[in-house]
Structures are given as structure tokens and as C-alpha cells.
Amino acid sequence: MSAPTPTAVIAAPRASDRVRVAAMVESTGVFRPDEIDVALEVFDEAVDQPGADYHALGAYEDGRIVGFTLYGPTPCTVATWDLYWIVVDPQAQRLGVGRRLMERTQEAVRAHGGRLVVVETSSRTDYGPTRAFYEALDYVRAAHIPGYYAPGDDLIVYTKPLDPPPAETVHHG
Ligand SMILES: CC(C)(COP(=O)(O)OP(=O)(O)OC[C@H]1O[C@@H](n2cnc3c(N)ncnc32)[C@H](O)[C@@H]1OP(=O)(O)O)[C@@H](O)C(=O)NCCC(=O)NCCS
């Protein structure tokens, strides 16, 4: 596979990307089979009914998907959005693809009026790079629930407030 670059094209994913998405999620090695099933269910829903409950963005290199995000408004909140999944193909990691995907995802959330992004991850050692990634993108640890996922596997919640839209786009009265 040719080396992807941070200039990967960001676009809505297609149903035909599902096979590569499934392979990509599995090849990260951090997700359990039940988590992979849930990721693919959310991917299917985001592609079949974009924006109904879930939104998706894909990163493409030479027309081939190398990463994606799945996100959506958090029910029963005022303009809080959840980042449900972000995955970058292991062969395409550390090249800026994840950063670019997150920047575009945050822009999309902001365009929908979102004000706060929440991400949940694990305290496990193999999620160290994931935590480093969120922290590099200015996500701040907001909560820590010991033993949430499993004994010894804690939930870490990161949040990031988004800048409000530029003043000229705010309409009064
Ligand atoms: C987390 C993940 C999406 C990051 O994607 P990526 O394209 O590799 O990230 P980027 O190249 O944009 O990295 C941006 C910054 O994050 C930090 N970072 C990313 N990966 C890191 C790693 N392995 N170790 C330390 N810091 C890391 C760095 O500061 C990096 O900037 P730099 O490369 O200039 O130093 C990717 O590692 C991944 O898919 N992991 C497995 C799946 C996962 O854990 N998903 C989240 C849970 S749902």
C-alpha cells in the first residue's frame, strides 16, 4: 500500500467501504469482537441514514479508506456531541490522518451547533497511544471510572469545548 499522507481526502464514507473498515478495526488489535460488531453496526447506520443518529467521515488515500470517525449528538444534552469511534489503519498511523479526521469532525460538529465533544476510552496500556493522541489534540481528562469496562480496565472520559461560531453567523432577534 502506498504511504498515506496527512492530505488524505476527507469525505462521507460509502457502504462499499465496509469490508476495509471491518479489516481496519480488527487490525488495530485493541477492540474485542463485541466492540467490532458494535462499530460496524454504527458504521452501517451512519452510512444508511446519515445524520439520523450517527454521522461519519472517512479519510481516503488514492480512493481507499484509511480511517474514519463515527460521531453524533448526545441524547438528552444541549449541544454535546459524542465521538463514538475513530480508527486509522495501522499502516497509515502517525502520519497525521487521525488529526485531520478529528479537525474535520470537530468542524462538522461545530457547524451543527455542537459546543462540547466527549470521547470515552480505556485506561489499558494498549490504549496509551490513543490517550496520547487525544491529549495532543487538546482533549482534557474530565472523568475516570475505575473498573468500568472490566476489573482493572477503567473508563477515561476526555472532553473538548469547541469555539463558538464566528460572531457574524450569530443571528439575534
Ligand atoms: C488513535 C489513532 C486514531 C490516532 O491516529 P493517527 O493517524 O495515528 O494519529 P496522528 O498521526 O494524527 O497523530 C496526531 C498526534 O497524536 C499523538 N499520537 C498519535 N499516535 C501516537 C502514538 N502511537 N504514541 C504517542 N503519541 C501519539 C502525537 O502527538 C501525534 O502527533 P505527531 O505524530 O506529530 O507526534 C490511531 O492510533 C488508532 O486508530 N488507534 C487504534 C484505535 C483507537 O484506539 N481508537 C480510539 C478508540 S475508539
Side-chain angles (χ1 to χ4, degrees):
M1 172 176 149
S2 64
T5 69
T7 56
V9 172
I10 308 295
R14 305 167 289 239
S16 56
D17 294 325
R18 193 183 199 275
V19 172
R20 284 197 201 287
V21 162
M24 190 189 311
V25 173
E26 199 163 340
S27 66
T28 62
V30 292
F31 302 117
R32 293 187 312 264
D34 58 313
E35 293 177 301
I36 296 174
D37 290 346
V38 172
L40 292 174
E41 277 171 29
V42 174
F43 176 83
D44 289 342
E45 223 177 300
V47 167
D48 291 347
Q49 302 172 61
D53 288 316
Y54 303 113
H55 299 243
L57 283 175
Y60 293 85
E61 184 67 22
D62 298 330
R64 176 188 169 115
I65 194 161
V66 295
F68 66 92
T69 55
L70 298 172
Y71 58 99
T74 312
C76 304
T77 67
V78 177
T80 296
W81 284 58
D82 262 292
L83 176 79
Y84 294 113
W85 297 86
I86 177 165
V87 177
V88 172
D89 187 318
Q91 293 183 60
Q93 290 179 8
R94 288 315 288 271
L95 294 168
V97 173
R99 183 188 290 275
R100 193 167 157 75
L101 266 170
M102 285 295 276
E103 286 170 354
R104 289 294 302 275
T105 298
Q106 289 164 189
E107 278 171 26
V109 167
R110 196 163 161 250
H112 283 286
R115 63 176 174 85
L116 184 71
V117 180
V118 175
V119 301
E120 297 183 358
T121 192
S122 157
S123 65
R124 275 177 9 217
T125 308
D126 53 346
Y127 276 97
T130 303
R131 296 190 298 274
F133 171 73
Y134 292 133
E135 287 165 20
L137 272 64
D138 297 327
Y139 281 76
V140 172
R141 284 186 191 219
H144 181 165
I145 303 182
Y148 179 84
Y149 292 111
D153 184 355
D154 306 348
L155 167 67
I156 312 277
V157 180
Y158 284 96
T159 63
K160 181 173 182 175
L162 301 180
D163 292 335
E168 62 268 21
T169 66
V170 176
H171 302 287
H172 298 284

